[in-house]
Amino acid sequence: MKKIPSVIDTHAHLDEFPDPREVIREAKEGGVLAIVAVGQDISSNQKTLEIAEQNPGFVFPAVGYHPWRLNPENDDETLAHIDNNLSHCIALGEVGLDYKAKTKKKVQKAIFLKLLAIAKKHDKPMILHCRYSHETVFRMVKEAALRKAVFHWYSGPLELIPLIAAAGYYMSATPALLYNPYHEKAINAVPLSNLLLETDTPVQYRELATRPVHVQVTLAEVARVRGITQEEIAEQTTRNARACFDLEGFS
Ligand SMILES: [Zn+2]
């Protein structure tokens, strides 16, 4: 029997599954070594922390405030909750700027700056959502001298990729590689040393409703796009994920 390559899903919304136990079990059996579970607001962060607590050494939590979930009434409480919980998380996310979202750019930027300050204070990587905002987000994290960051589901400008890589930041690939020529082009341009795999589960990619085990689909697609074996991609991206999120030192 062919051995299944070992991979890490670096971006999953486990809190969106009514009962995540089944998909976690399936992931373990499907060669997934670890899952980075991201949060979007207080209740999502809380659920994410609980799921991580129930799955030590396998589900690693990140707490965040997604640009789609911004609500001025909740800002202070959400930021305080992130600040209070970040020390036992592996990253701050999902956060970022979404210039197609309804919240004004200026308002989004102000929150993002506060989140950036919290990430800096705890020296944690940020997991970034960017839409029509890659240059701005990159400039802001670079100016803040944030040590580590992930530009998730990279679909930004191709010319930004070498700059993101030179700053030591990471970019991640999703199952959108199955059908999206732009994502394919971008992922083909990311240096292997800066590449991560993810699902953004439970996102539906055309007929594929993803679960964390589908990070294997991402792996197969990256191998196809790059013309390198799945084993080689799995080994390198797993090493990258461990380095990015300091998984070795995390307990
Ligand atoms: Zn996401």
Side-chain angles (χ1 to χ4, degrees):
M1 206 171 83
K2 197 168 168 274
K3 196 177 168 288
I4 314 168
S6 300
V7 281
I8 295 178
D9 183 357
T10 63
H11 192 115
H13 296 272
L14 288 181
D15 61 295
E16 291 186 11
F17 289 91
D19 181 1
R21 282 176 300 187
E22 179 55 28
V23 298
I24 289 168
R25 189 191 57 75
E26 177 192 42
K28 280 184 183 168
E29 287 172 3
V32 179
L33 290 173
I35 299 171
V36 176
V38 297
Q40 308 191 69
D41 57 22
I42 288 199
S43 88
S44 149
N45 288 340
Q46 255 156 357
K47 274 190 216 156
T48 303
L49 289 167
E50 277 165 33
I51 297 165
E53 212 169 291
Q54 289 153 5
N55 295 277
F58 189 73
V59 174
F60 296 92
V63 283
Y65 195 18
H66 198 290
W68 299 345
R69 302 286 178 97
L70 301 188
N71 176 349
E73 280 174 28
N74 301 336
D75 288 350
D76 292 344
E77 202 191 340
T78 309
L79 293 169
H81 185 259
I82 291 171
D83 195 11
N84 291 335
N85 284 284
L86 194 56
S87 64
H88 48 273
C89 291
I90 58 165
L92 197 161
E94 180 171 357
V95 295
L97 299 177
D98 190 320
Y99 285 172
K100 284 273 178 187
K102 59 179 188 300
T103 307
K104 285 202 171 91
K105 290 181 185 179
K106 209 176 122 190
V107 175
Q108 289 194 43
K109 270 191 186 170
I111 293 291
F112 186 64
L113 272 178
K114 288 183 183 174
L115 289 161
L116 204 42
I118 297 172
K120 274 290 283 182
K121 176 177 144 192
H122 294 269
D123 190 23
K124 295 284 182 178
M126 267 183 149
I127 299 172
L128 301 163
H129 168 106
C130 311
R131 204 150 55 129
Y132 299 104
S133 62
H134 288 81
E135 289 94 344
T136 309
V137 170
F138 176 63
R139 186 168 25 84
M140 287 171 83
V141 291
K142 188 98 196 294
E143 272 169 17
L146 192 71
R147 230 160 35 85
K148 291 175 186 169
V150 182
F151 288 77
H152 125 80
W153 192 336
Y154 192 82
S155 53
L158 297 180
E159 60 273 19
L160 201 58
I161 293 172
L163 304 180
I164 293 174
Y169 300 147
Y170 296 87
M171 288 152 274
S172 56
T174 72
L177 289 172
L178 286 166
Y179 56 82
N180 187 317
Y182 189 79
H183 188 46
E184 176 168 334
K185 221 180 198 176
I187 292 308
N188 211 10
V190 174
L192 267 193
S193 54
N194 300 78
L195 183 65
L196 299 175
L197 307 177
E198 60 148 308
T199 57
D200 205 11
T201 180
V203 164
Q204 174 115 19
Y205 300 87
R206 297 213 171 144
E207 60 280 0
L208 179 68
T210 46
R211 304 187 299 278
V213 72
H214 293 123
V215 67
Q216 295 285 2
V217 173
T218 313
L219 172 67
E221 283 300 298
V222 171
R224 174 186 64 78
V225 167
R226 306 290 297 233
I228 305 176
T229 64
Q230 290 194 29
E231 288 68 23
E232 225 172 305
I233 303 280
E235 199 192 308
Q236 179 68 50
T237 53
T238 297
R239 202 181 312 136
N240 296 344
R242 288 190 192 283
C244 174
F245 298 113
D246 194 18
L247 290 182
E248 251 54 73
F250 192 82
S251 58

